[in-house]
Amino acid sequence: MVNQKLPAIWFGGDYNPDQWDEQVWKQDVEEMKRQHVNVVTLPVFSWAHLQPEEDRFDFSWLDKILDLLYENGIHVIMATPTAAQPAWMSKKYPEILPVDIAGRKKQHGARNNFCPNSEVYRNFSRRIAGAMAQRYCKHPSIVLWHVNNEYGTRCYCENCSRKFRTWLSKRYGSLEVLNERWNTRFWGHTYYEWDEISAPTYLSEMVYDSHAARDITFFPSMAIDYDRFMSESIQHCFENERDEIRKYMPDTPITTNIMAPYKALDLFSWGKSLDVLAWDCYPSNEEIIRSDLPAVLGMKFDLMRGVKNGQPFMLMEQTPSQQNWLAFNSQKRPGVMRLWSYQALAHGSESVLFFQWRQSQSGFEKYHAAMMPHAGHSNTRICRELTQLGGELESLKDQLLNAETNARVAIVFDWPNWWTVEYSSGPSVALRYQEQVENYYKALHKNNIAVDIVSKKADFSHYDIVIAPVMCMVDEIFVQKCEELVKQGKTFITTFFSGLVDENDRVILGGYPGAFRKMLGIWVEETDALLPQQQNRVCPVQSDDAYSCGMLCDVVHAEGAQVKAVYGDDYYAGMPCVTENTYGKGKAVYVATAVQQEYLEKLLGGYCAAYGIEPALKVPEGVEVTCREKSNEKIYFILNHTEKPQTVQLPTDKEWDVLIGAMTFDKCCTLKPFDVLILKEVQ
Ligand code: GLA
Ligand code: ZN
């Protein structure tokens, strides 16, 4: 249990007291108490202050603030400050500074500007982490350790190239095997000596593709291995500090804060290194204006819960209102910050934390909202909303902690698959992995069906339906596990661009969709890529309906599978586009094209109904409902994501305790716009 030392929903944020004179600290603490803050994170970026010289630490100010916070009942998430090394360090040990993908040696500045494989960096970061842990191991305020901040560094320096070669030689044993697995015969890439291999950059195998608006590669097998290697290198940086802290504080959980489903870090591999997953939630401009934003956020929350197999996670950062680093930094409308905070809890978070406590006076983030604004008092809309939320969370005590989401549907997500899909040259730049997974998630979320997002290695046995959208890269163990699941009576659903390549990005020969072909009972002869303005139609065979589809259209032959829908247009009109194969006692379903959401909702709804999978409660459209369970208790979160009041009628044959919100005597509840109701079913 992560919240062991402080069994409550943690509420607070990043605190940078060293940016302020000491007389401000007292006011900070008073205002924190007023807002019901119980936890702050510090000192995230204070390495320069804590270690002003190579052999001199200065913890005096940190000692003082820790005591002050503790005396006032505020706990601390202790961060190591290693995301921004001091200037003297970069100057004296320039090897710490990374080389970017364009091959440019970076200079000191910004943050996250270090080579994760630099031994000097690792030694210094271990040393400061250890010095802090040793000094504060007995301090009663510390409830969690937070290593570094939003690991986002990447490097392509000579040192990284060297380490990459060692990593490769461990993975493949010999150059012969590597040449084989990377199929280096293509474009004459055969390697004769290990030192012919370097990090792939714009000077070699990588190129920025303006059509796709992303980096692509001339050599996917290598680029994917470099991504694996980089993700692991950064993970080792984390472990390097974690292990040092552990020596002094073996019982305090240790984590780092992770960005959006950040593409460069394979979080399912990271999961085992983290005691708890901590996530920073900052929807983009494109996301904020989407009408399906609740599903977009819901999926990210569920993915974060999936990283540690359903264990509760932490919402480590969000903004109280606006950001500064988007193109357009709109405010969160009244009620929205509270609503999204509860949405995080509804999906398994046990904290609501913000960036940051006091708004910085200058620097890049001075216009980023904070819990204590530049005005210097809390008589503001944002502060009032925070105070209300803080008070509510305080009133919940430990009631929400250690609950579980019992989903019977799983969506498989995979980072190396994400890399192969988006490094792929062809068939379409419009193919974005996350977006495709989102479409399937959204179709379920619309009907409030609980979903777990899981890794390929997860235990699937408690799911009735497992969906693996655009699962291009597969390994034998995963495929066998899916086959077993279906044989035992469950349903497996996959799509176009699936089952195609092995872990080295080599096509599985013998007809598409390669590894899944047998289970699906189909053969995909070829795949058409449609232009954005082109469409085809999905025509279900048992009705006269038709829905649009597009982007990629597989030309499919049913080889034993039952045809559920056919294409409506083009030379492949009448050919299957949705198939269902009976395999053992279960069904293996193939969706051969990107289909209209309405069709997807019906299709997935049908399979859910077949297993009796239903929403936790029946609610009007635009209202989200989730259920979190713990020993004999069921807690329901009902979230009105719309700008209109919504009325929810609860089943009258049950008794309910209202934890947040209000209900009438006839078990009816009208939620105001963006309002929330949390109920406990009385057993
Ligand atoms: C990230 C970082 C914080 C801060 C916020 C601003 O989440 O971790 O240090 O920069 O963004 O939104
Ligand atoms: Zn490097």
Side-chain angles (χ1 to χ4, degrees):
M1 173 175 165
V2 170
N3 300 23
Q4 205 155 9
K5 287 199 181 167
L6 178 60
I9 302 290
W10 295 359
F11 181 73
D14 278 25
Y15 181 34
N16 295 297
D18 53 325
Q19 289 178 13
W20 301 94
D21 292 340
E22 270 189 55
Q23 59 264 34
V24 182
W25 299 358
K26 275 222 153 62
Q27 192 212 352
D28 280 335
V29 168
E30 285 315 310
E31 295 290 352
M32 282 175 191
K33 287 197 285 190
R34 188 208 302 262
Q35 287 190 23
H36 307 273
V37 165
N38 56 11
V39 166
V40 293
T41 306
L42 80 173
V44 181
F45 292 106
S46 305
W47 202 350
H49 285 170
L50 294 171
Q51 194 176 1
E53 294 171 47
E54 182 160 351
D55 290 313
R56 186 164 69 86
F57 291 104
D58 176 10
F59 291 114
S60 53
W61 62 271
L62 191 53
D63 294 350
K64 268 194 226 165
I65 189 79
L66 281 185
D67 291 343
L68 179 67
L69 290 165
Y70 188 68
E71 282 155 21
N72 284 280
I74 297 163
H75 289 75
V76 167
I77 297 174
M78 185 63 98
T80 68
T82 52
Q85 72 271 19
W88 62 257
M89 197 183 287
S90 301
K91 183 163 93 184
K92 184 158 178 204
Y93 303 98
E95 65 151 284
I96 290 179
L97 294 168
V99 169
D100 72 8
I101 192 169
R104 297 173 302 195
K105 174 77 176 172
K106 301 286 288 292
Q107 298 183 348
H108 181 79
R111 60 177 179 180
N112 253 301
N113 197 15
F114 56 87
C115 164
N117 284 305
S118 156
E119 281 309 315
V120 179
Y121 172 78
R122 292 228 186 145
N123 290 339
F124 275 122
S125 53
R126 190 163 58 234
R127 193 165 146 214
I128 182 91
M132 290 172 77
Q134 187 176 22
R135 188 174 190 92
Y136 297 117
C137 59
K138 301 253 156 24
H139 205 286
S141 65
I142 298 174
V143 289
L144 178 86
W145 279 85
H146 167 306
V147 169
N148 205 283
N149 191 73
E150 290 193 338
Y151 277 111
T153 187
R154 268 175 92 82
C155 184
Y156 302 81
C157 73
E158 254 315 301
N159 181 40
C160 284
S161 286
R162 218 171 19 247
K163 295 257 167 81
F164 181 43
R165 294 193 282 267
T166 311
W167 185 89
L168 290 169
S169 74
K170 271 206 201 114
R171 189 172 171 89
Y172 298 115
S174 69
L175 259 188
E176 289 67 44
V177 176
L178 178 140
N179 276 318
E180 185 62 30
R181 300 279 285 276
W182 284 7
N183 193 26
T184 53
R185 277 170 285 186
F186 179 79
W187 281 4
H189 272 48
T190 304
Y191 296 109
Y192 308 92
E193 306 273 356
W194 282 104
D195 63 3
E196 289 151 11
I197 302 174
S198 293
T201 66
Y202 291 163
L203 306 175
S204 56
E205 304 292 357
M206 307 301 291
V207 64
Y208 181 75
D209 179 348
S210 55
H211 299 298
R214 63 188 179 229
D215 289 330
I216 59 163
T217 178
F218 299 116
F219 198 174
S221 306
M222 180 197 223
I224 291 164
D225 269 349
Y226 199 73
D227 284 351
R228 289 189 174 112
F229 161 74
M230 253 307 135
S231 176
E232 270 177 38
S233 300
I234 300 168
Q235 190 173 349
H236 291 154
C237 268
F238 167 78
E239 290 170 350
N240 171 51
E241 293 188 39
R242 180 202 62 186
D243 294 348
E244 198 63 19
I245 296 165
R246 201 75 99 206
K247 284 185 193 160
Y248 304 98
M249 297 187 78
D251 302 324
T252 307
I254 306 172
T255 190
T256 182
N257 53 335
I258 298 286
M259 288 187 262
Y262 181 54
K263 193 173 171 186
L265 300 183
D266 178 353
L267 288 191
F268 283 127
S269 296
W270 272 67
K272 57 184 181 301
S273 304
L274 306 166
D275 294 329
V276 59
L277 187 285
W279 184 51
D280 296 350
C281 176
Y282 294 101
S284 67
N285 269 166
E286 293 71 29
E287 289 169 339
I288 287 169
I289 54 169
R290 283 171 61 166
S291 59
D292 54 12
L293 177 65
V296 173
L297 288 179
M299 176 172 135
K300 292 182 184 179
F301 289 134
D302 287 350
L303 177 57
M304 295 306 133
R305 192 182 66 240
V307 168
K308 288 203 61 82
N309 293 315
Q311 178 188 310
F313 63 95
M314 296 181 63
L315 176 57
M316 186 60 99
E317 281 184 33
Q318 62 173 341
T319 174
S321 184
Q322 63 195 153
Q323 284 142 250
N324 66 289
W325 44 270
L326 293 172
F328 307 97
N329 295 282
S330 20
Q331 298 170 334
K332 288 183 181 167
R333 271 28 197 179
V336 169
M337 178 279 293
R338 175 174 175 267
L339 175 71
W340 292 359
S341 301
Y342 279 116
Q343 194 189 10
L345 303 183
H347 287 261
S349 175
E350 294 191 344
S351 65
V352 174
L353 300 167
F354 296 87
F355 180 85
Q356 63 175 330
W357 167 255
R358 187 177 280 276
Q359 192 166 9
S360 299
Q361 193 179 3
S362 67
F364 181 69
E365 288 168 339
K366 63 181 175 300
Y367 297 127
H368 192 291
M371 300 176 85
M372 179 48 55
H374 286 149
H377 59 73
S378 6
N379 191 15
T380 67
R381 172 183 74 89
I382 297 171
C383 292
R384 282 190 291 275
E385 289 189 36
L386 287 164
T387 307
Q388 181 199 343
L389 177 62
E392 287 173 359
L393 297 180
E394 194 172 271
S395 76
L396 287 168
K397 302 200 172 68
D398 63 352
Q399 292 186 92
L400 305 184
L401 304 186
N402 296 314
E404 287 178 348
T405 297
N406 284 320
R408 291 166 64 193
V409 181
I411 294 183
V412 188
F413 192 89
D414 187 66
W415 264 264
N417 180 62
W418 189 356
W419 303 333
T420 188
V421 168
E422 295 187 5
Y423 276 148
S424 178
S425 183
S428 169
V429 292
L431 179 58
R432 310 290 303 220
Y433 178 53
Q434 223 186 305
E435 186 179 302
Q436 294 306 316
V437 177
E438 228 169 60
N439 290 343
Y440 280 75
Y441 182 88
K442 258 167 25 188
L444 294 158
H445 185 270
K446 179 115 190 226
N447 294 317
N448 281 307
I449 302 294
V451 178
D452 279 347
I453 305 203
V454 299
S455 84
K456 281 178 177 161
K457 294 196 176 112
D459 174 10
F460 294 165
S461 60
H462 43 283
Y463 300 114
D464 293 313
I465 301 174
V466 172
I467 310 175
V470 186
M471 189 53 73
C472 181
M473 180 178 279
V474 292
D475 59 83
E476 278 171 26
I477 298 175
F478 170 65
V479 174
Q480 269 171 21
K481 200 160 57 165
C482 298
E483 288 181 358
E484 272 316 302
L485 183 91
V486 177
K487 279 186 194 156
Q488 280 158 20
K490 308 297 178 67
T491 294
F492 175 73
I493 302 172
T494 190
T495 70
F496 57 93
F497 219 65
S498 292
L500 301 183
V501 300
D502 69 10
E503 286 171 289
N504 289 107
D505 205 50
R506 291 177 302 187
V507 168
I508 297 163
L509 302 176
Y512 310 138
F516 290 138
R517 188 173 166 197
K518 185 175 77 175
M519 172 174 41
L520 292 167
I522 55 165
W523 171 42
V524 173
E525 187 178 337
E526 53 183 330
T527 298
D528 194 15
L530 274 52
L531 301 180
Q533 57 274 33
Q534 293 178 313
Q535 285 191 347
N536 204 311
R537 280 179 304 142
V538 177
C539 306
V541 290
Q542 277 172 345
S543 78
D544 296 329
D545 299 342
Y547 304 87
S548 66
C549 69
M551 188 180 51
L552 292 181
C553 295
D554 284 342
V555 179
V556 182
H557 302 275
E559 293 182 334
Q562 190 194 334
V563 178
K564 304 270 288 182
V566 295
Y567 289 110
D569 302 307
D570 218 316
Y571 85 91
Y572 38 87
M575 290 183 80
C577 63
V578 180
T579 61
E580 178 190 291
N581 195 35
T582 303
Y583 189 75
K585 292 192 216 144
K587 291 180 165 61
V589 179
Y590 191 69
V591 184
T593 173
V595 298
Q596 191 184 332
Q597 278 306 114
E598 200 186 333
Y599 177 72
L600 210 48
E601 284 158 24
K602 286 197 180 150
L603 185 76
L604 301 187
Y607 288 110
C608 287
Y611 290 99
I613 302 171
E614 288 186 340
L617 291 170
K618 296 246 172 351
V619 289
E621 192 167 342
V623 176
E624 181 179 19
V625 55
T626 74
C627 178
R628 301 271 299 154
E629 298 181 42
K630 55 181 185 180
S631 51
N632 298 328
E633 272 181 26
K634 284 189 174 182
I635 297 159
Y636 292 83
F637 293 79
I638 305 170
L639 310 159
N640 180 7
H641 287 286
T642 71
E643 282 170 305
K644 295 197 195 111
Q646 298 285 354
T647 300
V648 175
Q649 175 62 58
L650 295 157
T652 46
D653 56 341
K654 289 185 176 154
E655 290 303 315
W656 307 91
D657 274 346
V658 180
L659 305 187
I660 296 290
M663 188 174 67
T664 60
F665 70 95
D666 57 350
K667 295 178 182 149
C668 195
C669 171
T670 299
L671 288 117
K672 292 198 281 283
F674 304 132
D675 205 0
V676 172
L677 178 68
I678 306 181
L679 303 169
K680 190 153 82 180
E681 190 181 323
V682 181
Q683 298 288 337

